[in-house]
Amino acid sequence: MGTGLLLALLLLPLLGSLGVAFLKHDDLLAKRVTLGVTLLELVLAVLAFTAYSPGGARIQFASSVDWISQVGVHISFGVDGIALVMIGVIALLVPIVVLAGWADKLPQGRSAAGFLSLVLVQEALMVGVFAATDVFLFYVLFEIMLIPMYFLIGGYGGARRQYAAVKFFLYSFLGGLIMLASAIGCYALAADKLGKGTFDWATLVQVVHDAPLETQIWLFFGFFIAFAIKAPLVPLHTWLPDAAEQAPVGIAVILVGVLDKVGTFGFLRYNLPMFPDASKALAPLVMVLGVLGVLYGSLLATGQRDLKRFIAYVSIAHFGFIAIGIFAFTAQAQVGAVSYMVNHSLATGMLILVIGMVIARGGSTSIADYGGMAKLTPLLGGMFLIAGLSTLSLPGTNSFVSEFLVLLGSFPTQPVAAVLATIGMILAALYVLWLYQRIMQGPVRGTALVGISGGPGSATDPEKAKVLDLSGREIAVLAPLVALIVLLGVYPKPVLDVVNPSVTATLTSVGAAVPAAAQEGK
Amino acid sequence: MTHTLLAAEGALPAAGVAQSAWLLLALPLFGAAVLLLGGKATNKWGHLLGCATVILAFVYGLTLFLSTTSLKAADRIQELHLFSWIPVDSLSIDFGLRLDPLSLTFVLLITGVGSLIHVYSIGYMSHDTDRRKFFAYLNLFVAAMLLLVLGNGFVTLYFGWEGVGLASYLLIAFWQHKPAAATAAKKAFLMNRVGDVGLAVAIFLMWANLGTTQYTEVFAKIGTLDGGTVLAISLLLLLGACGKSGQFPLQAWLPDAMEGPTPVSALIHAATMVTAGVYLIARSNPIYDLTADGRLVVTIIGTVTLLIGCVIGCAYDDIKKVLAYSTVSQIGYMILGVGLGPVGYALGITHLLTHGFFKAGLFLGAGSVMHGMNDEVDMRQYGGLAKKMPITFATFGLGYLALIGFPFLSGFYSKDAIIEAAFGQEGWRGWVFGGAAMLGVALTAFYMTRLMLMTFFGEQRWKNLKSSDGRDYHPHESPAVMTVPMIILAVGSVFAGFLLTNGNFLANWLEPSLGELKEAGHPPLPAAAMTALSLGLMVVGVGLAWLFVGRKPVPVTKPERVSWVVRAARADLYGNKLNETLFAKPGEALTKGLVIADDKAVDGTVTGIAGALAFLSSRLRRTQTGFVRSYALTMLGGSVLVVAALLMVRFS
């Protein structure tokens, strides 16, 4: 059953996208069909969760067919707990994004069908990239995945969308090529050892993991650079602010919420098991990059003047935490990092959506154009605050569990990095609450709000600026996220339990018999 | 050490009434949820629900308390496991409640004083269109505060700790259209987070060294650690306490927090939340017992803070800020108390309870005054209000007497005990800590008497003035819904001290949690002499206040030609200035610099490399025309890399 579910998860959005592509002349129908398909996908994902047994095989729901048998390339899929929760996040976020963009105006001459069918293709490819268990297939999907995103940003984005789309594409594509080089290197190693090359992930892990350290390091970097661009680690991050700024709101959610997680997922699935010695040897480097990301991203988030660029830098800070958690090599830190991948999608996804709702009302992405908005839209203000509190990892919200686990778990093995990263907790409070203050608190002000009643600056009485509070549809978009943010903050066990065995397996394959804290005390 | 053993011993599973202890969290949480989700539909009865949940929690708490009084000392520590919160591998963070004398004492304080303040708020907030939301936040606060004191481990404590921080943020910023309120709320949250980081790192240290974060296990194993680690943990916990309790050097947020509605100041920023630091140190007594150096730092922080609070309190004209600095100062006494270790834990908690009564009462009284005076806080606009507000005057007066340590009122018992214990410290410590605490008595008497004189006595200055919104002042007594809670608190201010200290009642009751209250070692003076001295100093303080403020008319505008001491005190002893120079200004500059660097240097380098790779001399911005070419060249570059890597693997 599980295998069928996984294949259905892959094919459904693909078929859906084909169908939607034909609905060029009926925007509403296209939206409805897309929403239906994505909701069905969500149902499938939930079923997949129930079919998955956390204590079971390392890779479950596995299936495989030959693709290019001459060079040992297969089309094979399967999931572990880490991939499964990410697929769950995809299935959850896409319908929310579709609903959130329901009333968006598309650029002249573009149909909703075109946009939505790209979104569905994107969904299928993202599921594929997490489910691929053949390294070559993963590479192919990793690169192909860029194409719909390129068009989504470049075709439907803001004023500088072309520049942003090209920059996004080139960065990621180049990273992918470097990864391909490494993948071929691994293939060559397998050919040497087994007499026959292969790209099968499980086989490669066996073959490559005891290669000499120097070889491992070279191969490690090939994958690492690709992933460090994707889940942007400083200093490879500069494509993200442009992409996030120019992408339509919903696409930014997918980009930051899911696509970027392929990078951190890649660390876990490829770097650690395939190159364990290199991973351990280079952990200090990752710690430096992680801490740098946390502090640098946070400070830059504080200094941003644009709402969407703000989010990009917040994410860069959070990716720093995730990287630290992954390379600290303790179960707590790594489970924390994986749950961080989920929780960041929920928290930052919600923050982007809320900010999108602010922008939809004020028509400006500049922070300085707003002020005192909570007075006009108290509900939107409340939602903004909830998303913000989750972003700053307040206990009781989902993000606290993951951030706390990352820091607590990293402390025994990487005390310096962990302590420096805790400064990020203070900075997070600063950038979130300061943004909230500038947008929502104080007297009603700013050209985006005051100008609304009849051209910028025309409203003499700020209190009379007509800005509507959340609509029913918008509440429906945010409500599931709020519910999950609170639920997973108070009762995170279901996610932790799914992730824990896969993390343990990953750590075992690294040979990181690193004791999680001083266990002699227990 | 018997008490260490008691606190560290495994707790019993909760039985009987105690099994329903989750109600303590559920009741106020339910109230908050209904009021927030129900929206405007609950406007009519929202405040009643808000009061009911807290009163019910109080009733349950009282029942629970009474059910444990008959138990043997060792049986009075019970734990109620609710669910497994964060289980990962060997880490298991429980969501459970620890029901012991210490936590139950706090439950009664929080729900008891909380109920009174909820009721008072019905009147105080009656004109506010968002009253429902106010009660929702208050309920949320009570739930978080109860979790803070009831949690059975350091992580549940942390949950409650940041939860009350959120409630405090929401309530300080309750009138968030006022920029000052929004800024104060943010400042409070940020400075608290600095402390929270200390608490968090302390928890990390416990996990790394002991493999647990639950109280029972931490306390049982803490003795196995080396002195340096214990000291580090104790200092990091203290940092957390400093943030939450407004202690030096993190005291600057608390006076600003007075931007919140006055019931908030009474409940959160006087009686309960800000005393959480004292709770933390008392709760962690098995840790502090092991580190004399850690305790010494605690006492130093307490002493420094109590003096800072007194000195600044003398200079402000804003009635709430004077009370706020008074709170800073009184918590300084409590921190000094618990810092003394086994001779002081129970004393700190006793003062915390009596202070909870009289300071809450004082704030409610101040709120009543403001209520009758168009929300004016400048005492220079007051004067002669005793006749206009007799109940407020009487209750406030009793709170005042309790605070300055007037004989046989609450503060007299609880504060003098701390001073005596401080004097009992060995060598220079006794003289320094005891002396400072004694000096504080005179200063406290001075600033509180000044406040009394400026508010309730003398000329009715408001007669010839208008409030800032242009209205005349018509001071009047507040309605019964406000005065009754004030009266109850005034009764507490009078009797609580005697009742709690009579026969060491509270200290004995707390013994299972805090250990036996030891006698202070070497007092240089007999107890009677110390009492006489502190009474004498109190009289001096009162007298000086009368000399400066009472015997001549109070100017309506504050005098500008003042000595450097007053100037420094008015500037909060430069605490804000220091923060600004050390952190805010450099941080801002750094951020500005980084934003530019990120754009020019980091992005510039990468785009520069991209350009070079594509053999394009122009920047990436212009790649729209050269896109296909650069794309092809990138492919080429990639292929070169592929080949290089292949060769590398083959021949390495």
Side-chain angles (χ1 to χ4, degrees):
Chain A
M1 177 185 158
T3 309
L5 274 173
L6 184 59
L7 296 177
L9 277 164
L10 281 159
L11 293 176
L12 176 67
L14 217 49
L15 294 174
S17 120
L18 280 177
V20 170
F22 286 109
L23 300 174
K24 283 219 164 62
H25 303 292
D26 192 343
D27 280 1
L28 187 62
L29 187 62
K31 287 174 188 167
R32 285 183 176 160
V33 172
T34 310
L35 188 61
V37 168
T38 53
L39 285 174
L40 193 57
E41 179 89 347
L42 178 59
V43 173
L44 290 176
V46 172
L47 289 176
F49 263 92
T50 56
Y52 184 83
S53 64
R58 174 82 176 86
I59 300 286
Q60 300 181 24
F61 309 165
S63 62
S64 180
V65 290
D66 277 359
W67 181 14
I68 316 171
S69 50
Q70 292 85 345
V71 286
V73 175
H74 304 82
I75 297 185
S76 42
F77 294 107
V79 293
D80 61 359
I82 302 168
L84 184 68
V85 291
M86 286 319 297
I87 291 173
V89 167
I90 298 167
L92 174 77
L93 284 185
V94 176
I96 288 176
V97 162
V98 170
L99 192 61
W102 205 260
D104 283 1
K105 286 210 177 60
L106 295 172
Q108 197 80 44
R110 311 242 184 223
S111 69
F115 178 77
L116 292 170
S117 97
L118 278 173
V119 169
L120 285 171
V121 175
Q122 189 73 57
E123 179 168 29
L125 291 174
M126 290 187 303
V127 172
V129 87
F130 285 110
T133 53
D134 182 280
V135 179
F136 191 77
L137 176 68
F138 172 78
Y139 164 74
V140 170
L141 289 169
F142 184 88
E143 297 285 40
I144 293 184
M145 191 174 68
L146 304 176
I147 295 169
M149 188 48 83
Y150 172 79
F151 287 113
L152 284 168
I153 298 175
Y156 300 88
R160 288 170 69 232
R161 54 181 183 259
Q162 288 292 341
Y163 170 71
V166 170
K167 194 169 176 182
F168 157 78
F169 188 89
L170 280 185
Y171 252 102
S172 299
F173 187 75
L174 189 69
L177 280 180
I178 300 171
M179 172 169 77
L180 176 64
S182 259
I184 294 174
C186 296
Y187 175 88
L189 275 180
D192 276 355
K193 267 201 178 170
L194 308 171
K196 178 177 177 300
T198 179
F199 281 105
D200 177 55
W201 174 77
T203 318
L204 277 186
V205 167
Q206 293 307 318
V207 172
V208 182
H209 84 277
D210 51 4
L213 180 62
E214 206 181 320
T215 314
Q216 276 195 29
I217 286 180
W218 280 104
L219 296 172
F220 175 95
F221 270 116
F223 283 87
F224 183 79
I225 290 171
F227 298 145
I229 289 173
K230 192 108 275 190
L233 296 184
V234 177
L236 302 174
H237 64 279
T238 57
W239 64 271
L240 183 63
D242 286 321
E245 181 185 11
Q246 298 302 321
V249 169
I251 301 310
V253 173
I254 292 178
L255 180 68
V256 176
V258 183
L259 218 61
D260 290 357
K261 306 290 165 36
V262 175
T264 47
F265 173 79
F267 293 149
L268 286 159
R269 176 64 77 75
Y270 299 96
N271 283 87
L272 299 195
M274 286 166 63
F275 320 113
D277 299 332
S279 297
K280 276 181 277 190
L282 295 171
L285 171 73
V286 182
M287 290 302 138
V288 171
L289 294 180
V291 170
L292 197 64
V294 169
L295 301 181
Y296 188 81
S298 302
L299 284 172
L300 276 156
T302 315
Q304 291 308 305
R305 298 192 193 130
D306 182 279
L307 279 164
K308 288 161 100 183
R309 292 181 78 86
F310 167 85
I311 292 189
Y313 284 103
V314 169
S315 296
I316 289 164
H318 287 178
F319 280 115
F321 278 110
I322 298 175
I324 292 171
I326 290 174
F327 282 85
F329 302 127
T330 70
Q332 288 76 27
Q334 213 167 78
V335 169
V338 176
S339 68
Y340 212 129
M341 287 159 63
V342 175
N343 290 328
H344 172 262
S345 299
L346 301 178
T348 312
M350 178 168 169
L351 191 59
I352 300 174
L353 290 169
V354 170
I355 282 179
M357 291 169 190
V358 169
I359 294 170
R361 281 162 175 74
S364 163
T365 62
S366 171
I367 296 170
D369 288 348
Y370 295 87
M373 201 170 174
K375 181 115 186 163
L376 308 172
T377 58
L379 207 50
L380 178 58
M383 292 294 162
F384 197 116
L385 189 61
I386 291 175
L389 293 174
S390 179
T391 301
L392 63 78
S393 296
L394 189 83
T397 68
N398 56 344
S399 312
F400 166 73
V401 176
S402 27
E403 192 163 304
F404 192 76
L405 275 174
V406 164
L407 294 170
L408 180 97
S410 306
F411 188 80
T413 52
Q414 301 284 357
V416 177
V419 169
L420 287 175
T422 52
I423 297 172
M425 285 170 49
I426 303 172
L427 294 174
L430 174 64
Y431 61 65
V432 167
L433 296 182
W434 194 34
L435 181 73
Y436 183 74
Q437 184 182 4
R438 284 182 290 174
I439 302 274
M440 291 293 171
Q441 296 177 316
V444 179
R445 62 199 184 278
T447 51
L449 297 179
V450 179
I452 271 179
S453 56
S458 65
T460 44
D461 182 3
E463 308 290 318
K464 287 189 182 139
K466 281 207 177 56
V467 184
L468 296 179
D469 210 344
L470 294 183
S471 68
R473 177 180 57 81
E474 287 171 320
I475 292 173
V477 165
L478 299 177
L481 291 171
V482 174
L484 279 171
I485 281 172
V486 174
L487 198 69
L488 293 180
V490 177
Y491 197 64
K493 197 165 178 290
V495 171
L496 302 180
D497 283 352
V498 169
V499 169
N500 203 347
S502 299
V503 161
T504 312
T506 306
L507 285 174
T508 314
S509 58
V510 186
V514 183
Q519 293 309 314
E520 77 274 11
K522 277 231 139 183
Chain B
M1 291 204 276
T2 51
H3 63 280
T4 313
L5 286 177
L6 264 179
E9 263 169 23
L12 295 173
V17 188
Q19 280 180 315
S20 313
W22 54 271
L23 277 172
L24 286 170
L25 302 181
L27 281 166
L29 208 54
F30 170 78
V34 169
L35 294 183
L36 286 175
L37 295 175
K40 294 201 178 88
T42 61
N43 269 354
K44 275 210 177 107
W45 43 268
H47 52 285
L48 298 178
L49 177 72
C51 293
T53 56
V54 181
I55 293 171
L56 280 175
F58 175 69
V59 171
Y60 173 78
L62 197 62
T63 317
L64 179 59
F65 168 81
L66 293 174
S67 78
T68 60
T69 46
S70 56
L71 297 175
K72 281 187 301 187
D75 295 348
R76 275 190 250 138
I77 301 181
Q78 303 185 14
E79 288 213 1
L80 178 67
H81 169 81
L82 292 177
F83 57 88
S84 175
W85 182 25
I86 309 181
V88 175
D89 231 64
S90 51
L91 173 73
S92 80
I93 297 174
D94 250 5
F95 200 98
L97 307 181
R98 181 184 180 92
L99 307 161
D100 70 351
L102 183 62
S103 66
L104 290 185
T105 304
F106 271 86
V107 166
L108 292 181
L109 172 74
I110 295 159
T111 56
V113 174
S115 296
L116 294 174
I117 292 173
H118 273 71
V119 171
Y120 174 93
S121 303
I122 295 178
Y124 191 83
M125 298 299 285
S126 58
H127 304 302
D128 201 298
T129 47
D130 280 333
R131 181 168 70 170
R132 165 189 60 85
K133 213 188 261 179
F134 183 77
F135 276 89
Y137 294 163
L138 275 190
N139 268 212
L140 185 69
F141 167 76
V142 170
M145 188 71 206
L146 287 172
L147 175 61
L148 192 164
V149 296
L150 283 169
N152 67 347
F154 283 95
V155 186
T156 37
L157 171 111
Y158 190 85
F159 190 167
W161 193 266
E162 288 225 316
V164 293
L166 169 66
S168 161
Y169 171 82
L170 291 170
L171 285 163
I172 296 170
F174 188 73
W175 292 312
Q176 59 179 356
H177 53 274
K178 293 198 310 189
T183 303
K186 184 186 62 186
K187 181 175 177 183
F189 197 97
L190 277 178
M191 293 192 79
N192 267 287
R193 265 254 154 146
V194 175
D196 295 356
V197 162
L199 179 53
V201 177
I203 295 173
F204 302 159
L205 267 173
M206 292 175 201
W207 161 247
N209 291 291
L210 303 170
T212 178
T213 59
Q214 303 295 123
Y215 289 146
T216 41
E217 295 171 23
V218 169
F219 296 156
K221 293 176 186 172
I222 189 78
T224 61
L225 293 187
D226 62 285
T229 314
V230 177
L231 177 63
I233 292 175
S234 72
L235 294 182
L236 287 162
L237 291 176
L238 175 63
L239 179 60
C242 287
K244 195 63 57 194
S245 294
Q247 298 295 291
F248 178 82
L250 298 175
Q251 78 282 10
W253 67 270
L254 184 54
D256 289 15
M258 297 300 123
E259 286 291 338
T262 306
V264 173
S265 315
L267 179 60
I268 301 184
H269 303 119
T272 57
M273 183 188 86
V274 289
T275 59
V278 183
Y279 168 81
L280 176 65
I281 293 173
R283 171 58 83 200
S284 310
N285 65 79
I287 299 176
Y288 283 93
D289 281 345
L290 297 176
T291 168
D293 293 338
R295 289 200 305 273
L296 177 62
V297 178
V298 176
T299 46
I300 292 173
I301 293 289
T303 308
V304 169
T305 313
L306 83 85
L307 288 177
I308 289 179
C310 288
V311 170
I312 302 178
C314 296
Y316 265 100
D317 297 327
D318 176 329
I319 186 168
K320 284 183 74 180
K321 292 222 167 166
V322 174
L323 290 178
Y325 271 112
S326 166
T327 305
V328 168
S329 162
Q330 292 301 309
I331 298 172
Y333 275 102
M334 299 172 210
I335 293 279
L336 168 62
V338 292
L340 298 173
V343 301
Y345 293 128
L347 303 182
I349 299 295
T350 311
H351 192 52
L352 189 158
L353 291 179
T354 59
H355 176 260
F357 280 107
F358 59 69
K359 190 53 72 59
L362 287 170
F363 266 112
L364 293 190
S368 176
V369 169
M370 289 162 61
H371 202 66
M373 289 288 292
N374 302 354
D375 286 325
E376 181 56 62
V377 289
D378 184 0
M379 296 188 292
R380 292 185 184 277
Q381 311 257 318
Y382 298 170
L385 289 175
K387 283 190 212 109
K388 294 281 175 184
M389 308 179 174
I391 304 177
T392 304
F393 169 63
T395 55
F396 196 97
L398 289 172
Y400 154 75
L401 292 176
L403 172 56
I404 65 170
F406 192 80
F408 313 117
L409 270 65
S410 285
F412 170 75
Y413 294 100
S414 58
K415 192 157 67 177
D416 270 20
I418 293 176
I419 297 172
E420 281 171 30
F423 262 117
Q425 295 292 293
E426 264 178 76
W428 61 271
R429 295 175 193 188
W431 287 106
V432 171
F433 299 140
M438 206 56 116
L439 178 61
V441 171
L443 289 166
T444 308
F446 176 83
Y447 70 71
M448 280 310 292
T449 308
R450 175 174 174 268
L451 184 154
M452 280 302 281
L453 291 172
M454 286 176 83
T455 304
F456 292 105
F457 294 96
E459 188 194 353
Q460 300 186 330
R461 294 182 297 278
W462 44 269
K463 275 196 168 159
N464 306 316
L465 298 167
K466 286 182 194 302
S467 58
S468 52
D469 52 6
R471 286 183 292 162
D472 288 329
Y473 290 115
H474 298 288
H476 53 82
E477 187 56 277
S478 297
V481 73
M482 290 167 69
T483 50
V484 170
M486 287 154 57
I487 293 168
I488 297 175
L489 287 170
V491 172
S493 311
V494 174
F495 298 109
F498 173 74
L499 293 176
L500 292 173
T501 52
N502 187 27
N504 270 350
F505 168 74
L506 185 69
N508 291 338
W509 159 251
L510 289 173
E511 202 176 309
S513 304
L514 300 179
E516 187 194 349
L517 179 64
K518 300 259 169 54
E519 285 288 325
H522 329 270
L525 302 168
M530 280 191 281
T531 306
L533 183 58
S534 89
L535 286 179
L537 282 166
M538 184 192 86
V539 171
V540 169
V542 172
L544 283 174
W546 185 80
L547 276 178
F548 279 103
V549 185
R551 62 185 182 130
K552 55 188 178 191
V554 175
V556 175
T557 48
K558 71 177 175 187
E560 293 302 329
R561 292 168 56 90
V562 289
S563 66
W564 65 270
V565 188
V566 179
R567 268 204 306 275
R570 281 182 185 171
D572 304 283
L573 296 181
Y574 306 111
N576 284 317
K577 202 94 183 176
L578 196 71
N579 289 340
E580 230 167 70
T581 329
L582 283 184
F583 302 105
K585 287 273 162 60
E588 252 170 62
L590 177 66
T591 304
K592 274 194 187 137
L594 283 181
V595 170
I596 296 169
D598 193 59
D599 191 36
K600 300 281 182 263
V602 182
D603 194 34
T605 308
V606 180
T607 46
I609 290 171
L613 193 72
F615 301 110
L616 290 169
S617 57
S618 62
R619 290 188 168 225
L620 191 60
R621 281 170 217 279
R622 294 189 210 150
T623 47
Q624 271 162 327
T625 50
F627 175 56
V628 180
R629 246 190 315 150
S630 73
Y631 179 83
L633 285 163
T634 314
M635 290 279 277
L636 181 68
S639 316
V640 171
L641 279 170
V642 172
V643 175
L646 269 176
L647 293 175
M648 200 69 72
V649 173
R650 282 289 176 149
F651 302 109
S652 63

